[in-house]
Amino acid sequence: MNEKTLSNSANAAQTINLLEIWEIFWSRKILIIICVFLALVLAFVKVTYFTKDVYSTSGILYVSNRNDVGRSSDDTVYGTDINTSRLMSTTYMEVLTTRSFLTDVSASVGGGYSWDRIRKMMSISSVNGTELLRVSVSCNSAEDAYNIANGIITNAPAKLGTIFDGGEVKIVELAVVPSAPNGKGLTRMLMLAFLMGLAIGCAIAFVLDYLDTKIHRSDDVAKRYGISILGEISQ
């Protein structure tokens, strides 16, 4: 048997296997549809009735390496100052997530949130790789998100000013009260539920087909016992 014959046989076997799989799915199509429908309904109910609204707000800080010591009267900003400012931004992002700083923030907003909880609610990032730092807070309460974000922003200059003698931090933009909650991601959740329901339905179809020992047609005898069928007697 040459390679071409072996290749044709393998392709034929693969085609048969795919057809068998499709027949299994098709014979259990109602079951698969029910699984997909139930998954979609559960996902919709969870997102609509059991997922809390989340509000997000943010403000911006400016990190600078401007230092009056040794600076000429024209107050020129050199490239090394910019690079140093960007390095400082990375350090400042870490400082703003420390326990000591967030404990002060917690006290400034009434102590309703622990420092660890505030750290989980906040995120700090550089704005397009510049010396600007965006401080964002997400919370189930719009008012709390606003207060915590501004608590971080207003406390940051005093804290960060002690890190580098030649550095300074300025508030560029304070946070505002979010007017509406973030999206709950219903579309994404429904897509995931559809795929999960489809996978579960197909898995159940395979299991039921494997456990089914009944002879439904002559092909089942040939496949199960490896014997040829010469003919059928119709009833």
Side-chain angles (χ1 to χ4, degrees):
M1 186 177 292
N2 56 33
E3 294 182 359
K4 183 176 181 180
T5 303
L6 290 173
S7 177
N8 291 336
S9 299
N11 291 334
Q14 184 178 9
T15 302
I16 293 174
N17 289 335
L18 291 176
L19 289 174
E20 290 176 352
I21 292 173
W22 171 253
E23 289 176 357
I24 293 173
F25 290 160
W26 185 254
S27 64
R28 307 285 183 178
K29 59 182 178 295
I30 301 301
L31 172 64
I32 295 175
I33 292 174
I34 292 175
C35 289
V36 171
F37 176 76
L38 289 177
L40 290 174
V41 170
L42 290 174
F44 178 81
V45 171
K46 179 182 182 300
V47 172
T48 305
Y49 299 102
F50 295 98
T51 301
K52 295 181 179 180
D53 289 329
V54 176
Y55 298 85
S56 297
T57 187
S58 63
I60 298 177
L61 295 169
Y62 173 68
V63 178
S64 174
N65 189 37
R66 301 292 297 275
N67 190 353
D68 293 335
V69 179
R71 186 172 299 282
S72 59
S73 59
D74 60 356
D75 202 29
T76 303
V77 178
Y78 297 98
T80 54
D81 293 323
I82 297 176
N83 292 333
T84 303
S85 296
R86 291 176 181 175
L87 290 174
M88 290 163 58
S89 297
T90 303
T91 303
Y92 286 171
M93 283 189 278
E94 295 299 322
V95 173
L96 294 180
T97 61
T98 59
R99 180 175 60 183
S100 60
F101 173 70
L102 294 181
T103 298
D104 294 338
V105 172
S106 175
S108 69
V109 296
Y113 294 87
S114 66
W115 73 269
D116 187 53
R117 190 175 177 188
I118 292 177
R119 183 167 63 179
K120 295 176 181 178
M121 294 161 54
M122 65 179 289
S123 63
I124 306 174
S125 60
S126 175
V127 180
N128 298 323
T130 64
E131 302 88 67
L132 298 176
L133 295 181
R134 183 181 301 277
V135 178
S136 303
V137 173
S138 297
C139 183
N140 297 129
S141 167
E143 192 69 25
D144 288 347
Y146 163 77
N147 289 331
I148 293 172
N150 281 334
I152 295 172
I153 293 169
T154 55
N155 282 278
K159 180 69 174 180
L160 298 180
T162 63
I163 304 301
F164 288 110
D165 292 336
E168 62 178 357
V169 179
K170 296 181 180 180
I171 298 174
V172 176
E173 185 176 83
L174 288 172
V176 297
V177 179
S179 58
N182 303 340
K184 293 183 178 182
L186 179 61
T187 301
R188 177 176 176 274
M189 185 62 69
L190 290 178
M191 291 178 63
L192 292 175
F194 174 82
L195 295 175
M196 185 175 294
L198 185 63
I200 293 174
C202 292
I204 295 175
F206 269 115
V207 172
L208 292 178
D209 183 77
Y210 178 79
L211 297 176
D212 187 5
T213 58
K214 294 181 181 180
I215 302 299
H216 298 280
R217 54 187 180 181
S218 59
D219 291 344
D220 295 339
V221 177
K223 294 176 183 177
R224 186 169 301 169
Y225 300 106
I227 60 178
S228 300
I229 303 299
L230 298 179
E232 297 182 23
I233 300 176
S234 59
Q235 296 182 350

